[in-house]
Amino acid sequence: MVMDMGRETAHEAVELAYRPTARDFTKALWVRRRMTWWGRNTLGVALALLLWIGLLATDGMDVTSVLLVGYLALCFLLMPRFQGRSLARAAEVSGACRTTVTDAGVTIRGDHITVTQEWGARPCYRETPEMFVLFSGDPHARCLTLLPKRGLAESSDADRLREILDRHITRT
């Protein structure tokens, strides 16, 4: 129960049930990438590397060096996909997630783990068509929490979840 200007109102919890996938993590990492300076400029850096390859190739640079720089540019662009797969493999240990979002914070229960995060741990979030992604407050948004919309029981739960998030943390 939350007191609001002398009136008592109940804010219900929103529950999600889902199994995190590599696609979820990859999408969240792309969202995170757009939040940081380095991430917003990733495409520019990769394009600069590719331009450099073109310039070096016309100047008679050996094929091995051109291929190496091209490989680095490709890895740079695909890093969220690689990281997403790795995070999904790590999350498989926890099994299916049952997440509860309340005015107190977020509690994620897996088969072998329970994690409770108060709102200070994830002070901002971003919504995509497929999920809500909660981020840590550090400039690099190193930690994130996924709340896939497919885990909601009803489509109206997305509105309720958004209301809880907007009450406690900042939408970016």
Side-chain angles (χ1 to χ4, degrees):
M1 302 294 267
V2 175
M3 296 300 288
D4 182 20
M5 309 254 321
R7 296 174 310 203
E8 201 172 311
T9 58
H11 295 293
E12 295 182 29
V14 175
E15 298 195 1
L16 300 92
Y18 57 93
R19 184 175 294 273
T21 65
R23 186 172 190 270
D24 292 336
F25 285 108
T26 300
K27 293 258 184 194
L29 290 167
W30 276 108
V31 170
R32 184 188 101 187
R33 193 175 250 197
R34 288 190 303 268
M35 287 187 61
T36 64
W37 180 91
W38 181 250
R40 283 189 302 273
N41 293 297
T42 298
L43 184 59
V45 171
L47 290 175
L49 284 172
L50 292 173
L51 179 63
W52 187 44
I53 290 171
L55 292 174
L56 293 176
T58 59
D59 286 342
M61 186 175 181
D62 65 290
V63 175
T64 306
S65 297
V66 171
L67 290 175
L68 179 63
V69 173
Y71 174 76
L72 290 174
L74 188 62
C75 286
F76 198 65
L77 286 172
L78 295 177
M79 188 59 66
R81 185 178 178 123
F82 299 145
Q83 290 173 324
R85 287 181 177 174
S86 178
L87 290 169
R89 281 192 297 274
E92 284 176 7
V93 173
S94 298
C97 293
R98 294 165 308 283
T99 302
T100 306
V101 182
T102 66
D103 284 323
V106 179
T107 301
I108 304 168
R109 290 178 182 80
D111 294 338
H112 307 289
I113 190 169
T114 298
V115 176
T116 300
Q117 301 168 352
E118 294 179 358
W119 293 117
R122 301 287 184 270
C124 58
Y125 81 97
R126 201 168 266 189
E127 182 179 0
T128 72
E130 295 143 347
M131 72 178 80
F132 294 90
V133 186
L134 285 59
F135 297 99
S136 60
D138 69 283
H140 302 291
R142 288 186 184 103
C143 299
L144 52 89
T145 301
L146 312 174
L147 301 174
K149 292 179 181 178
R150 71 174 186 283
L152 296 166
E154 300 176 18
S155 60
S156 63
D157 288 344
D159 294 330
R160 291 179 39 235
L161 177 55
R162 190 178 304 106
E163 288 173 13
I164 293 172
L165 296 175
D166 285 340
R167 258 196 315 270
H168 297 285
I169 59 179
T170 305
R171 186 185 314 213
T172 61

